[in-house]
């Protein structure tokens, strides 16, 4: 998934979960066999909502992704503490909720550990886009991945040099600098 879309998707997931936990706290407690803990569910919902809004509105997403991971740890702790309760119908729901939170936790950890994307502002429009701070071309990376470095760049013909740069870009998994355009 696109490194820009995953945090946004997780932000919307957080907003949806937060609103659900705030709105239906008593029903969630009844379903999971946690009667009397609606305040805890609402607190968890408020945390989800704040994290989701942060992911959707802030250009620096890493702290919010780490907040999701920490929130997942709290959710798993609460669910883990309730797994040994005896109500059979609620046990299945608690187990399913725990598995779902574990899956989301893996996605959150993946998103939070993705390579850091830096902010680039467009002074003309004042908007922000994400991507590398500068082009990797001309930085010597092509030579580092096996391009012929015996001659100087002035001796190479431009078509060969361009092809070598594209090959290195592809092997390194780097974005094409020409395709990184500011969002409008």
């Amino acid at each position: 998934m696109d490194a820009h879309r995953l945090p946004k998707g997780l932000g919307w997931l957080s907003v949806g979960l937060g609103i659900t936990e705030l709105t239906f706290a008593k029903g969630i407690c009844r379903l999971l066999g946690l009667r009397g803990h609606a305040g805890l569910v609402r607190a968890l919902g408020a945390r989800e909502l704040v994290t989701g809004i942060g992911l959707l509105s802030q250009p620096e997403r890493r702290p919010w992704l780490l907040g999701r991971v920490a929130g997942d740890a709290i959710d798993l702790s609460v669910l883990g503490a309730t797994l040994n309760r005896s109500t059979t119908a609620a046990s299945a729901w608690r187990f399913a909720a725990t598995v779902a939170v574990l899956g989301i936790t893996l996605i959150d950890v993946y998103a939070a550990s993705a390579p850091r994307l830096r902010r680039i502002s467009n002074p003309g429009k004042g908007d922000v886009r994400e991507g590398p701070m500068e082009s990797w071309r001309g930085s010597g990376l092509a030579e580092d991945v096996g391009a012929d470095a015996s001659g100087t760049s002035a001796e190479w013909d431009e078509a060969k040099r361009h092809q070598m740069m594209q090959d290195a870009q592809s092997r390194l998994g780097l974005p094409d600098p020409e395709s990184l355009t500011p969002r409008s």
Side-chain angles (χ1 to χ4, degrees):
M1 176 167 253
D2 185 353
H4 303 289
R5 291 177 38 193
L6 181 59
K8 287 270 190 194
L10 291 172
W12 284 114
L13 176 67
S14 284
V15 168
L17 286 172
I19 290 171
T20 301
E21 289 174 330
L22 287 169
T23 306
F24 302 108
K26 288 182 181 178
I28 291 170
C29 287
R30 192 171 38 255
L31 188 65
L32 297 176
L34 301 174
R35 295 187 195 273
H37 291 87
L40 174 63
V41 172
R42 284 189 189 99
L44 296 175
R47 176 201 33 92
E48 282 284 357
L49 190 57
V50 168
T51 304
I53 292 170
L55 277 169
L56 294 171
S57 66
Q58 299 299 312
E60 182 62 41
R61 296 190 179 125
R62 180 150 307 200
W64 300 102
L65 289 168
L66 292 173
R68 277 194 53 84
V69 172
D72 292 339
I74 294 168
D75 294 343
L76 287 170
S77 297
V78 169
L79 287 167
T82 66
L83 279 178
N84 62 357
R85 295 195 180 202
S86 63
T87 55
T88 309
S91 294
W93 283 105
R94 281 194 300 268
F95 179 75
T98 303
V99 170
V101 173
L102 277 171
I104 295 295
T105 301
L106 293 175
I107 295 169
D108 288 340
V109 168
Y110 171 77
S113 64
R116 185 176 203 108
L117 295 173
R118 297 182 186 160
R119 293 172 52 198
I120 297 176
S121 62
N122 183 353
K125 297 187 179 185
D127 63 346
V128 175
R129 68 179 172 97
E130 293 178 345
M133 285 297 285
E134 59 187 35
S135 172
W136 62 276
R137 293 183 186 226
S139 65
L141 287 177
E143 292 81 9
D144 290 343
V145 294
D148 180 18
S150 61
T152 64
S153 61
E155 296 173 355
W156 294 348
D157 89 282
E158 192 58 32
K160 180 179 176 185
R161 179 179 167 88
H162 183 72
Q163 182 59 45
M164 288 174 57
M165 292 301 232
Q166 285 186 331
D167 292 343
Q169 171 187 342
S170 175
R171 283 186 287 193
L172 291 170
L174 297 171
D176 185 7
E178 285 86 18
S179 71
L180 295 174
T181 58
R183 295 181 201 156
S184 41

